[in-house]
Amino acid sequence: MYSRYIPPQKEKAVEAPALRDQEFKSQLHAPSGFSSAQPYARYIPPPKSKAEPAPVQPVKIVFGDDDFVAPVAKPNTSRDDELTGKIEEKKPKKSKPVAVEEPKPVEDTPKKRKKSRTEVAGDEEPKNDLKDTTSKKRRKKEKDQDVASPAMKVVAADKEPASPKAKKAKKEKKKKKKQKDSSLEATTGEDGTDELRKRHRSVFEKVHKSLTANKPVDPTEDGAAAQEADAEEEEAAEPEEIHGLEPIPQPEPVIFDESKLTYETLPPWLASPIRVTDETRCPFTDMGISPESAKVLESKGFKDAFAVQTAVLPLLLPSADRQGDVVVAAPTGSGKTLAYVLPMVHDISQDLVTKLRGIIVLPTRDLVQQVQVACEASVAAFSIAGGKRVVVGTAMGNKVFKEEQSIIMGEEQRYDPAGYERYLEKQRKLVNLEDSDDEAEFDLDLNTSRPLPQHVVDHVSKVDILICTPGRLVEHINKTPGFTLDYVRWLVVDEADKLLAQGFQQWLDAVTEKLSAQKPGARDFPGSNKTGVRKVILSATMTRDLSLLNGLKLSRPRLVVLEGAKAGESQTLPGTLKESAIKVRESSHKPLYLLDLLNSELLAPVQKDEDEAMPDANAESSSSDDSDSDSDSDLSSSDSGAETHDTTKSSTTTITKPHKLYSTVLVFTKSNEAALRLSRLLAILSPDLAPLLGTLTSSTKTSKRAATLRAFARGKLRVLVASDLVSRGIDLANLDHVVNYDLPISETSYIHRVGRTARAGRAGHAWTLVEHAEARRFWRDFAGEGKGAATTIVRNGKVERVGVGADDKTEGGKFGEDRVRAYELALEQLKKEAGEGRR
Ligand SMILES: Nc1ncnc2c1ncn2[C@@H]1O[C@H](COP(=O)(O)OP(=O)(O)OP(=O)(O)O)[C@@H](O)[C@H]1O
């Protein structure tokens, strides 16, 4: 038998750490946003005695300070104190100091912690300051102490005078103290430990001190208290001591990036364009054009340079400056064509021999022909000034390829006996070859004339400037013998947004590759130290896609925009354009709305001085018995049989007003078929109008299209019904009105369509028939009005609402029965004709 040593029972206070530690760890999981992986579970020794006061801990970062009573003795200005200040305003609950002093794991259940958080949230404390998640017990304790908060003091000093209110507050504080003391007594009575009682007393003595110090600052009442408060404020401003505890890692504050993409993010040349006001005009002679040339230009109708020309010409005409490429974003009809044609022709006219020096790429054949006319005017202007007569050719696929080849390329015999020997050798080899690939080469050679003895045949360009569609250009690069871009020093891409768009791009790769070839001296500019290829890129609706522009490999580019347009963003309409919208109540009656518009005074000529130039339409039609009218246009009405026409006449003359169309109108439909159909329907419904109607579609032969445009320019035709074919670039002289019979597919399409009028500073009017189902889209996307308005179109005024047809008051709000019946008859006839056409 032996006696076993039984160690003396440890004091309760010594056991606490285990519990605290456990609780601490559990608390680490409690607050949202914290990770238990954070190494905070540090052993915190229990307070040993009154002689060793626990260190002052900043409230903000002490997780387990439920265990400590000391921290409360030292107030600070942390936001937790502000929180306690808020809580203090609530009715104080009965405190349970025992829970504060003796933390028991069972008391700090997750449920309680949750409640604690909820209370805090209810006080709207910023979450970041609550990351330590003080327990409910602790906050209750703080409620009793928070009057010591300097933050609160400041508020109190600001808000509460020293008078009865302050006294009342003092009373309340005393009451609270009394409550605490009594509860403390109860606690100590329960535990019966003197040591604990001593500790509590020391704590509450400190609290009492704090309470005294926290009295409203009023020198008259207690100047010392005010001084102390000041001192505490200063202290609070000092850095917090953390006593070995690392600050809790806070999640990175979420910074919401509200910055918008601005033009500063664009390359400088795009962000800072050269701006020019629409009204700017300047004599050509002031722009470096000789008086002789300017005179010729004036005789062609170009008296002064238009705004865009005043900005572009100095960049492109020869100068001592370092000149780079030029990008032009200017409205339809602003004169972009002459802006590049003049400097290009001026430069090339200084050459002595003809070589392909300039390429102008355009998306349609009609535009190629139009630009050719502008080029010829410039050629005339510069050849008279002693320069070379620049030769302009076209390649657009309207001719057989071989014919086109012979127009742009020629042959020359050159004496070269060695070369002639090589030629003979090659011929011998090719005759013996059976390889199909080489046969192609053999064929190719057959396209070249036989050389004279001791001579070789050189391929030479017959043109200085080639205006072309992209497809045809690539075809010549690949298939035309001797066709080379080695000497090209001008590349113009007009309607660039279209030509750079997806699906159109292959041409650019082929061309830029050829243009990157450097033959010494081949691309030298005459009378200048400059060499290389100058690129000019233009559009009324310039692409915002920088990656597409990058494909052009621009060198030191400058952007020119007309004032009012935002670089790279908006699409500006001509300032002289007026826009109106017509509500179509019954979409099946839409042609009647158009007819009423055409017959109304609304379509009067837009410019008074043009009235004389446009004779009475009836007189015109009756006198236009020459064959020109029919042959010039592809009128669907003129194509139809006389018998049919007469029948229609008898059924429709009663429903149309006598026709007097002095102005010119271009009507846009959504497709070729729609254009042909509408044109014919109008002719049936209004025989007076029929001789004045023309149709322009992509299915029409190019020659017939050109004839129609000529007849329109001469005034023999007054109304053109077209598909989107002519929406880009086409320059119809003195066009008064554009009618969007069908809504365009995009804002860009709208810009180009309506831009056929109001050109070159002239007035113009655009009309859009808007069906009920299209109204939202039209007003939002095109007019930029109403809910969710979003348009990049920049315009001077607003789109005006106009009533015609069924909206016309004289019609009583709907079409009369007679008109509807006649319309139905016309539709039947159209159907019949279509059926006959198919057979
Ligand atoms: N300096 C000028 N003086 C008088 N008329 C001019 C001048 N410059 C251009 N014009 C005329 O202005 C009209 C529009 O010019 P142009 O076709 O070059 O416009 P644009 O800007 O290319 O239009 P779009 O973008 O629709 O192709 C043409 O009829 C042209 O002859």
Side-chain angles (χ1 to χ4, degrees), residues 301-302 304 306 309 332-337 495 729 731 756 759-760:
F302 309 120
D304 292 324
F306 279 179
Q309 293 156 5
T332 50
S334 56
K336 294 187 287 293
T337 314
E495 305 294 341
D731 188 47
R756 295 316 98 211
R759 296 172 73 77

Side-chain angles (χ1 to χ4, degrees), residues 281 284 300-306 308-309 330-340 367 370 374 494-495 538-541 727-733 752 755-756 759-761:
R281 295 287 182 276
F284 283 110
K300 305 266 176 196
F302 309 120
K303 189 167 177 281
D304 292 324
F306 279 179
V308 70
Q309 293 156 5
T332 50
S334 56
K336 294 187 287 293
T337 314
L338 205 65
Y340 64 79
L367 284 177
Q370 189 175 295
D494 204 344
E495 305 294 341
L538 311 100
S539 180
T541 48
S727 67
R728 266 187 186 263
I730 282 289
D731 188 47
L732 299 170
H752 286 285
R756 295 316 98 211
R759 296 172 73 77

Side-chain angles (χ1 to χ4, degrees), residues 48-51 69 101 184 188 192-206:
K48 281 174 189 166
S49 69
K50 202 180 170 184
V69 288
E101 298 302 317
L184 179 64
T188 50
T193 51
D194 285 349
E195 197 186 350
L196 199 59
R197 191 180 296 132
K198 279 180 198 167
R199 281 173 57 199
H200 289 168
R201 189 156 294 146
S202 102
V203 168
F204 280 101
E205 271 168 14
K206 286 175 185 172

Side-chain angles (χ1 to χ4, degrees), residues 66-138:
D66 305 47
D67 310 328
F68 295 96
V69 288
V72 295
K74 188 91 178 174
N76 62 38
T77 52
S78 74
R79 294 181 71 181
D80 276 2
D81 286 337
E82 290 172 29
L83 167 67
T84 55
K86 285 180 192 169
I87 294 170
E88 192 262 346
E89 285 164 21
K90 291 181 184 173
K91 201 176 174 185
K93 291 177 189 171
K94 247 189 175 178
S95 61
K96 289 180 184 172
V98 66
V100 177
E101 298 302 317
E102 287 203 356
K104 291 174 186 171
V106 69
E107 287 182 348
D108 191 31
T109 58
K111 199 177 171 185
K112 282 194 175 183
R113 286 199 300 274
K114 191 177 173 189
K115 195 178 173 196
S116 163
R117 285 199 300 275
T118 317
E119 283 170 9
V120 170
D123 286 327
E124 293 176 353
E125 177 64 11
K127 280 174 186 162
N128 276 352
D129 291 338
L130 289 172
K131 293 279 162 99
D132 54 354
T133 322
T134 51
S135 72
K136 185 182 171 187
K137 287 175 284 178
R138 166 165 164 71

Side-chain angles (χ1 to χ4, degrees), residues 378-398:
S378 300
V379 167
F382 291 109
S383 55
I384 204 164
K388 169 187 182 305
R389 188 169 182 93
V390 175
V391 184
V392 180
T394 61
M396 53 186 166
N398 61 334

